[in-house]
Amino acid sequence: MKKAIIIGAGIAGIASAVRLAVRGYAVEVFEANSFAGGKLSEFVLPAGEFSSQIPFYPSTPQPLNPSTHYRFDAGPSLFTMPEYVEDLFRLAGKKPEVHFEYLALDTICKYFYEDGTILHAYRDTQKFAQEVATQTTEKAETVLKFLRESKRKYDLTNEVFLQNSLHKLRNYFTWATVRGILGMPRLQVFTTMHKANARTFGDQRIVQLFNRYATYNGSNPYETPATLNIIPHLEFGIGAFFPKGGMYQITQSLVRLAENLGVQFHYNTKVQEILIEGKKAVGIKIGKDETHKADIIVSNMDIVGTYKKLLPALPAPKRLLEQPKSSSAIIFYWGIKKAFPALELHNIFFSANYEAEFKHIFQDKNLYEDNTVYINISSKESPTDAPEGCENWFVMINAPNNIGQDWDALIGQARQNIIQKLSRLLKTDIAPLIECEAILDPRSIESRTSSSQGALYGNSSNNKWAAFLRHANFSSRIKGLYFCGGSVHPGGGIPLSLLSAKIACDCIE
Ligand SMILES: Cc1cc2nc3c(=O)[nH]c(=O)nc-3n(C[C@H](O)[C@H](O)[C@H](O)COP(=O)(O)OP(=O)(O)OC[C@H]3O[C@@H](n4cnc5c(N)ncnc54)[C@H](O)[C@@H]3O)c2cc1C
């Protein structure tokens, strides 16, 4: 039986393990943390606990006391493209709905603007377009036309850029690629998302709403090509979902699936080196001298760390590794001792000056005084995530990636600004309602998951050639060495990380 070693139990590492186990490999996953999921993990906080960190392990006290404890998903909160999770169950011959349940959201997001406008982004596009027409000066038909165009862009790019390796010549001789090339003008590669949106919409609030989609892969709408206007189709065309029990269920259900297929997980086990003999990867080294042999190695560690730490003797592809990283984030996890019926599962409180906000994040590498604030409240769908009458707020702002800023000062200032903004817009003093707190910031994102500079999504897509400047899912120099996860092709976010696992495994002969 052939043996595969996976380095890292991030979502792409787990998905690779499932795929290889189904193909008959004996699979072992080595994970530095004491838990699976990497960014896609969870933790629990008791009322009364205030910490500048989040617990480094799932600290679920046994038994969890639902009258005093809050559960938080640590990282991703928005779930799109559930079919990529379901595919893994189907591959293993199991019915996905038996092992992983989720629901489709009718209200994708609720938007709050500084001028008092409130907009519901309904999944039903007619209803959403009508809401826009009622609350703003934009026409319903303009919104519907934009969403139809978003779908066309998605149909042109999905197979070429997302489903297959861009680094295998054979993938360029397909009908999908020809269609993609012929459709280039439609993809608007040479204009920015903001310019395209400002040409489409007359109302600045709607420009801002659709500009926000650049942040779904950590990019800047004022730099990223308008091709990224495919992203709204994912939400409005395909849907936004919520896994029953919270986002961490994605990790847990896939780990269970992998274990059922015989995959062995080794936690608290940091891989030190990938062993190479001749031009072939033959195993890994753990600690000083423990080695494990395998026929293939798949690294789910960030590609920068994979080269710098695990492959020190291999010349690194400098240009690819030095591509600008996506934005990072600061997250305040707050237990709030009050229910807010006016809030939904996903809520955005926009800044009044989006362009200034992004200039601070991407050019000045600091924070603007008025941040766009995202609040995710999983207890809206999963009531046991917070004590009765309370809510678990995941309060996130976009932040620059980590280049050694004075994060403690930035976090302190941001916390004050966010509390003021939310208190004003929700007409309630928020500060006294916070009964427990933990914080995640670019430094801790980097240290918990080895993500280069704490980037949420690997490289940014601010460059129009970004799709071609991500590392391939295989090594062209070392046989038997493959790469998956948000830092390699096709990019970050749960759906693309899952696709990276598929592409890496497809590349294995
Ligand atoms: C705050 C936040 C919010 C986000 N929001 C969303 C969202 O709403 N929707 C969405 O789709 N995506 C979101 N993302 C992005 C998404 O979480 C990531 O793109 C995705 O989870 C990356 O998965 P990955 O497979 O690359 O692994 P990672 O999650 O990066 O995990 C890599 C794993 O490898 C392990 N590892 C690294 N080096 C070693 C080593 N040497 N030895 C052993 N193990 C090692 C790490 O410990 C870690 O567990 C968010 C991310 C964050 C941080």
Side-chain angles (χ1 to χ4, degrees):
M1 196 181 209
K2 284 198 169 180
K3 186 169 170 192
I5 284 179
I6 318 268
I7 303 168
I11 197 65
I14 303 167
S16 301
V18 168
R19 286 179 177 276
L20 291 173
V22 167
R23 282 169 63 168
Y25 280 83
V27 185
E28 290 189 54
V29 181
F30 292 85
E31 166 55 53
N33 290 331
S34 56
F35 55 91
K39 298 181 181 76
L40 190 43
S41 55
E42 71 167 1
F43 67 97
V44 167
L45 270 189
E49 189 163 311
F50 284 76
S51 163
S52 60
Q53 294 288 313
I54 69 176
F56 212 83
Y57 49 88
S59 65
T60 313
Q62 297 297 335
L64 174 110
N65 184 344
S67 61
T68 52
H69 286 76
Y70 292 83
R71 189 199 72 86
F72 293 95
D73 283 309
S77 53
L78 174 68
F79 182 39
T80 53
M81 308 299 284
E83 73 197 68
Y84 297 150
V85 175
E86 293 177 319
D87 278 351
L88 295 165
F89 288 98
R90 280 192 211 102
L91 259 184
K94 301 205 185 286
K95 285 188 180 156
E97 64 278 15
V98 175
H99 304 276
F100 175 66
E101 288 181 73
Y102 60 89
L103 53 94
L105 304 179
D106 291 331
T107 301
I108 297 172
C109 188
K110 188 166 177 181
Y111 290 95
F112 298 79
Y113 293 82
E114 277 289 337
D115 69 358
T117 309
I118 294 177
L119 273 179
H120 294 81
Y122 298 112
R123 161 78 201 284
D124 177 335
T125 49
Q126 295 288 343
K127 200 171 157 193
F128 169 54
Q130 202 44 58
E131 166 92 348
V132 169
T134 313
Q135 305 297 337
T136 75
T137 58
E138 203 62 65
K139 289 199 181 86
E141 181 47 31
T142 314
V143 173
L144 291 171
K145 197 170 156 212
F146 176 86
L147 292 175
R148 284 196 296 272
E149 193 53 33
S150 174
K151 177 180 185 324
R152 284 194 200 104
K153 283 195 175 79
Y154 174 80
D155 289 342
L156 278 174
T157 49
N158 177 31
E159 197 175 328
V160 185
F161 290 101
L162 304 182
Q163 301 277 347
N164 290 297
S165 174
L166 283 177
H167 307 84
K168 295 269 181 197
L169 200 58
R170 62 168 187 254
N171 292 337
Y172 287 85
F173 299 104
T174 64
W175 171 231
T177 311
V178 174
R179 251 186 340 143
I181 292 167
L182 292 176
M184 276 299 258
R186 173 154 257 154
L187 296 181
Q188 296 184 292
V189 177
F190 297 102
T191 189
T192 67
M193 174 184 270
H194 171 71
K195 280 188 185 149
N197 291 347
R199 271 201 302 269
T200 304
F201 302 108
D203 193 304
Q204 289 315 302
R205 289 164 292 191
I206 305 307
V207 175
Q208 188 170 21
L209 189 151
F210 283 110
N211 277 357
R212 177 180 164 248
Y213 284 92
T215 65
Y216 279 37
N217 74 356
S219 301
N220 176 355
Y222 301 88
E223 289 180 35
T224 200
T227 319
L228 258 70
N229 277 335
I230 62 171
I231 301 176
H233 172 67
L234 299 186
E235 279 190 353
F236 289 101
I238 301 173
F241 304 88
F242 181 76
K244 205 171 160 196
M247 294 296 285
Y248 188 52
Q249 286 308 313
I250 303 173
T251 298
Q252 283 201 312
S253 64
L254 290 180
V255 167
R256 274 197 298 272
L257 173 65
E259 284 173 343
N260 279 334
L261 291 166
V263 173
Q264 281 183 42
F265 287 84
H266 305 274
Y267 296 106
N268 298 307
T269 313
K270 190 171 192 165
V271 174
Q272 303 292 343
E273 195 177 333
I274 295 172
L275 302 172
I276 311 284
E277 277 175 15
K279 291 197 176 245
K280 165 109 183 67
V282 293
I284 55 165
K285 189 168 120 187
I286 291 162
K288 276 213 166 88
D289 41 31
E290 184 183 334
T291 59
H292 293 257
K293 295 278 178 181
D295 298 285
I296 59 167
I297 312 287
V298 182
S299 178
N300 179 213
M301 185 184 192
D302 187 289
I303 192 71
V304 176
T306 298
Y307 273 99
K308 283 197 180 147
K309 300 205 169 125
L310 307 185
L311 295 163
L314 198 70
K318 259 183 114 183
R319 183 158 170 252
L320 297 192
L321 302 191
E322 283 172 3
Q323 286 303 307
K325 301 288 166 262
S326 82
S327 52
S328 188
I330 296 170
I331 299 108
F332 299 93
Y333 307 86
W334 286 338
I336 296 281
K337 54 182 178 190
K338 180 175 165 33
F340 283 77
L343 294 177
E344 297 281 339
L345 175 66
H346 301 287
N347 309 273
I348 286 284
F349 294 78
F350 273 127
S351 64
N353 189 341
Y354 220 31
E355 191 163 4
E357 187 182 353
F358 280 95
K359 181 177 172 295
H360 274 75
I361 295 171
F362 284 93
Q363 269 119 56
D364 307 343
K365 299 280 181 191
N366 60 23
L367 292 176
Y368 186 47
E369 65 214 18
D370 176 19
N371 308 285
T372 294
V373 182
Y374 165 68
I375 308 183
N376 172 256
I377 309 171
S378 71
S379 60
K380 294 278 182 197
E381 296 294 345
S382 240
T384 53
D385 284 355
E388 210 182 327
C390 304
E391 291 179 344
N392 63 340
W393 284 18
F394 168 110
V395 181
M396 174 168 132
I397 58 169
N398 293 312
N401 42 51
N402 182 21
I403 52 164
Q405 295 92 327
D406 180 354
W407 286 112
D408 293 334
L410 288 172
I411 290 167
Q413 189 59 56
R415 189 179 187 279
Q416 263 184 30
N417 295 345
I418 292 170
I419 288 177
Q420 269 174 21
K421 183 179 178 91
L422 294 179
S423 299
R424 181 163 38 79
L425 291 173
L426 290 171
K427 300 185 178 62
T428 310
D429 190 3
I430 299 297
L433 300 177
I434 304 173
E435 63 169 352
C436 57
E437 177 180 64
I439 302 172
L440 186 68
D441 65 59
R443 292 168 304 189
S444 40
I445 293 171
E446 188 165 5
S447 62
R448 282 172 66 92
T449 60
S450 303
S451 290
S452 179
Q453 297 179 8
L456 304 191
Y457 303 96
N459 292 352
S460 81
S461 290
N462 291 338
N463 178 324
K464 47 178 141 331
W465 308 116
F468 298 94
L469 294 169
R470 290 198 175 88
H471 199 286
N473 305 90
F474 59 93
S475 168
S476 52
R477 291 205 208 108
I478 303 295
K479 249 187 118 197
L481 180 56
Y482 300 87
F483 309 103
C484 66
S487 67
V488 295
H489 177 69
I494 299 168
L496 297 195
S497 298
L498 290 172
L499 284 178
S500 78
K502 173 183 174 291
I503 299 170
C505 295
D506 285 351
C507 292
I508 297 168
E509 296 299 323

